[in-house]
Amino acid sequence: MASAEDFSPSQDPPMAKGNTNSGRSKATSFLSDGFLFVGGALVAFLVVWALWSFFSPPPPSSDTFSTAAFPDRKSAKFDNFATSSEAPESFLSTKCPTTASASDPDPGHDPPDPTFYDDPNLTYTIDSPPVKNWDEKRRRWLEQHPSFAAAAEDRILIVTGSQATPCKNQIGDYLLLKFFKNKVDYARRHGIDVFYNNVLLQPQMFSFWAKTPTVKAAMLAHPEVEWIWWIDSDAAFTDMDFVLPLDRYKSHNLVIHGWPDMIFEKKSWTSINAGVFLIRNCQWAMEFMDAWSKMGPQAPQYDKWGQIQRSIFKDKSLPESDDQTGLLYLIVEEQEKWGKKIYIERDYYFEGYWLEIVGTLENISENYAAVEKEAAAAALRRRHAEKVGRAYGEVWAEVLKKKGVGYGRGSGRRPFITHFTGCQPCSGDHNQMYSGQTCFDAMQKALTFADNQVLRDYGYVHPDLLDPAAVAPLPFDYPASL
């Protein structure tokens, strides 16, 4: 075997070692002179070309450019390729349409002009004073970043999260991953960004209180969004087509699911659920989050707040102050200050209790399939790209509306968000009314039900809601083709 030295660049290849030096030197001299001449000519040409390019006027812009200015270069055959199906495949494959839009947000542009971020006194922490003049600061930031200003009034950021350490329940991390995938699927289909946090931004604000410092930090980190949408880790989207009716909330700053009679008459601590809420990114929200967090475990009056909450909301079982009852306190006891800007949503499942939902999912699937099988619903059966799925969701909404299918219990319509309150998949603790297996099966069913809506655009379906690993390809014109 040849050694490394045998192939050294300073030596001839092994097969050439028998040649004489005299013959080699003449050929080498000739080739060297030739290379020098060609190289010199090439350098001279490049210098002249560069100088000509520098001093010559720029070509006309694309919107005024015309091949008519160069009649000698026009090719009838080439022109036909542009509109003919007989164009060579190699040509068509290089003609990629431009998809970028001038109105798309530009994450690569941040002007040097000072913003609120340059203020050394700005603090992200929840236990610091609320940011002042936040509406004005956001407005100025958007003016400095005009690509983000377009459609900013409807822009949403989903915020969710879980604990930093592995789950105690051996299946918990698997379930949290599935819940997160579910949120990412919904967000992708609707052009929404997601922030997943798994650390305590305020170490003393454990468990359900962890959301408040996370939401404040998200507001500051995302001045380009109008709404922060907090969704608990154990809540799943079960209607991938539904779009938040933001026009309904244009005069409000906080949206929460609840029942007004239970809130104001019965004063029940289960009259709302703080696991899913929509809050506007504004000064009102900064001050509201500050007032809400002052009932948390980091506050000096934490024990006192637990007593106050239980004195007002008699059915509250937790002795300590919790986020849900704290929110309820601000709605009921400080109605004049906060209540006018809070929207209590009850017309659809902004979040719905899983026990009253999961048992209906098979029937809902059958109802939707029956609608699609109708001859008039051919548009709903049409295959389409996932990116244009929202248009088909709007068609679904119109079809169901005409059929008198609304939202709510027993309506036959997909629930928007199914919330597994009490199951706590990560810790393993849950309500003693049902077993852990009941929770697990229900979660699998709801998540698979939602995943079927996603996989439909990829040509597949889960035949069994309790078997998330099994999929089957869908025939053309499904489900009418069955």
Side-chain angles (χ1 to χ4, degrees), residues 240-314:
M240 289 290 175
D241 291 328
F242 188 79
V243 178
L244 284 174
L246 294 181
D247 286 345
R248 184 184 302 188
Y249 313 135
K250 60 185 178 181
S251 299
H252 298 83
N253 295 332
L254 177 67
V255 182
I256 193 82
H257 190 219
W259 299 265
D261 58 332
M262 292 182 66
I263 294 172
F264 298 104
E265 296 176 18
K266 298 181 180 178
K267 294 187 178 180
S268 170
W269 80 301
T270 60
S271 58
I272 64 168
N273 190 299
V276 180
F277 62 86
L278 189 69
I279 190 165
R280 193 182 296 275
N281 194 0
C282 64
Q283 183 63 38
W284 182 96
M286 283 286 181
E287 295 172 6
F288 184 85
M289 296 302 295
D290 183 63
W292 191 8
S293 66
K294 285 181 178 177
M295 303 181 211
Q298 87 294 348
Q301 301 296 319
Y302 178 57
D303 292 338
K304 182 180 178 181
W305 273 115
Q307 297 171 11
I308 294 173
Q309 290 172 3
R310 294 193 75 183
S311 69
I312 299 171
F313 307 100
K314 304 295 185 181

Side-chain angles (χ1 to χ4, degrees), residues 11-29:
Q11 297 178 333
D12 293 328
M15 63 180 295
K17 283 189 176 180
N19 293 340
T20 62
N21 289 337
S22 59
R24 181 175 176 274
S25 64
K26 289 182 180 180
T28 303
S29 176

Side-chain angles (χ1 to χ4, degrees), residues 76-123:
K77 185 177 181 180
F78 182 86
D79 287 348
N80 287 338
F81 283 165
T83 57
S84 172
S85 60
E86 298 177 357
E89 184 178 351
S90 60
F91 171 76
L92 290 175
S93 64
T94 60
K95 297 295 287 183
C96 298
T98 301
T99 57
S101 168
S103 62
D104 289 343
D106 181 6
H109 174 68
D110 192 20
D113 306 312
T115 69
F116 63 88
Y117 288 116
D118 298 296
D119 181 1
N121 297 316
L122 175 70
T123 55

Side-chain angles (χ1 to χ4, degrees), residues 192-209:
I192 298 174
D193 286 337
V194 182
F195 172 51
Y196 191 101
N197 177 48
N198 65 346
V199 294
L200 292 177
L201 300 184
Q202 214 299 349
Q204 292 177 279
M205 301 187 82
F206 56 86
S207 186
F208 38 70
W209 280 108

Side-chain angles (χ1 to χ4, degrees), residues 157-197:
L157 173 71
I158 289 177
V159 181
T160 185
S162 60
Q163 64 187 49
T165 56
C167 293
K168 295 179 181 179
N169 185 339
Q170 62 180 357
I171 205 171
D173 291 309
Y174 162 78
L175 288 171
L176 289 181
L177 177 62
K178 298 268 286 186
F179 275 107
F180 182 51
K181 175 196 179 303
N182 170 270
K183 294 175 179 68
V184 171
D185 282 337
Y186 179 87
R188 182 185 66 254
R189 291 162 68 93
H190 294 273
I192 298 174
D193 286 337
V194 182
F195 172 51
Y196 191 101
N197 177 48

